[in-house]
Amino acid sequence: MVRFSPDSSLLAIAGADVRTTTVADRGEEARIDRYKPVLFEGGITHFSDCAFTPNGDVVRAIAREGLFSWDRATGEFTHSPWEVGGGMQSAALSENSSMAAWGTRGGRILAVETSSLEPVRDSYVGDDKVWPVALDPSGHRIAFWCTGRVHVRDVESWSNLTTLTDVQTYPSLHFSGDGSSLLVAEACRIRLWNIGR
């Protein structure tokens, strides 16, 4: 997963570790200048997602082992362990990093506010894996795949906003920047789904 900072001057890159890099504008192409030191590593299975806070000062990342934060100015590092249970399959952060969500092998979805670690949603959605999960930029809506369908729900009320059927196993899900569209990418098909705001 790759995310721009709010001012588009930095990228945060999540995978086996989490790194930031500066972006230098060179006409039509943006060139990566350099990697900063590795932010989080050691004993982490894999980072599923990362995001900047709205002011760009803090990078947050999510993994099976919980939430991780790094203050770019002070260098302060924090790890907030969170036991998801049920065999985590996927995880996501909202674009502003205010909300985190996990989907499990046993059909469970867990969503928490990253500032307080207060659970907002803990629900079972089916007997199949929940993979992937995606949060809209505000963190108020969640999209997830389970048993051949992609569902979009309100995180707090859990009302089903819409459902897309006949979706191949484990697609990629991405909300547009304004949250009005959902990209559903399957092995041989890409659909852009207008879901409103």
Side-chain angles (χ1 to χ4, degrees):
M1 177 59 76
V2 178
R3 298 278 190 131
F4 276 102
S5 62
D7 65 0
S8 299
S9 67
L10 292 171
L11 290 172
I13 304 159
D17 54 31
V18 179
R19 300 167 182 256
T20 60
T21 182
T22 56
V23 178
D25 189 6
R26 299 287 185 267
E28 293 182 2
E29 293 186 11
R31 181 175 63 83
I32 294 176
D33 269 351
R34 66 183 185 280
Y35 274 109
K36 298 275 186 180
V38 174
L39 306 184
F40 319 124
E41 64 177 354
I44 305 303
T45 52
H46 180 79
F47 290 98
S48 298
D49 202 355
C50 60
F52 290 88
T53 52
N55 62 9
D57 292 343
V58 175
V59 178
R60 289 194 176 116
I62 186 170
R64 181 188 310 254
E65 293 80 8
L67 292 169
F68 299 78
S69 296
W70 179 68
D71 187 307
R72 295 178 44 245
T74 66
E76 181 183 357
F77 168 81
T78 57
H79 172 212
S80 304
W82 191 268
E83 181 55 48
V84 178
M88 188 203 86
Q89 285 295 122
S90 58
L93 283 165
S94 61
E95 188 174 306
N96 62 11
S97 78
S98 64
M99 189 74 71
W102 291 267
T104 73
R105 192 173 295 120
R108 179 182 175 208
I109 289 181
L110 176 68
V112 301
E113 291 182 348
T114 56
S115 59
S116 64
L117 294 183
E118 287 295 318
V120 177
R121 173 60 45 202
D122 190 351
S123 296
Y124 284 91
V125 295
D127 296 330
D128 205 347
K129 297 174 183 176
V130 177
W131 186 15
V133 295
L135 288 160
D136 78 349
S138 67
H140 295 138
R141 293 180 296 175
I142 187 169
F144 61 92
W145 179 94
C146 188
T147 59
R149 295 182 170 140
V150 171
H151 304 272
V152 179
R153 295 191 179 210
D154 182 277
V155 172
E156 289 192 18
S157 71
W158 208 235
S159 58
N160 192 44
L161 304 175
T162 191
T163 301
L164 180 63
T165 59
D166 186 32
V167 180
Q168 294 176 3
T169 306
Y170 315 140
S172 293
L173 304 176
H174 301 279
F175 281 94
S176 61
D178 63 0
S180 66
S181 299
L182 180 69
L183 179 73
V184 180
E186 303 165 75
C188 299
R189 177 172 57 177
I190 295 176
R191 288 184 274 182
L192 190 60
W193 192 12
N194 186 354
I195 55 175
R197 294 184 189 177

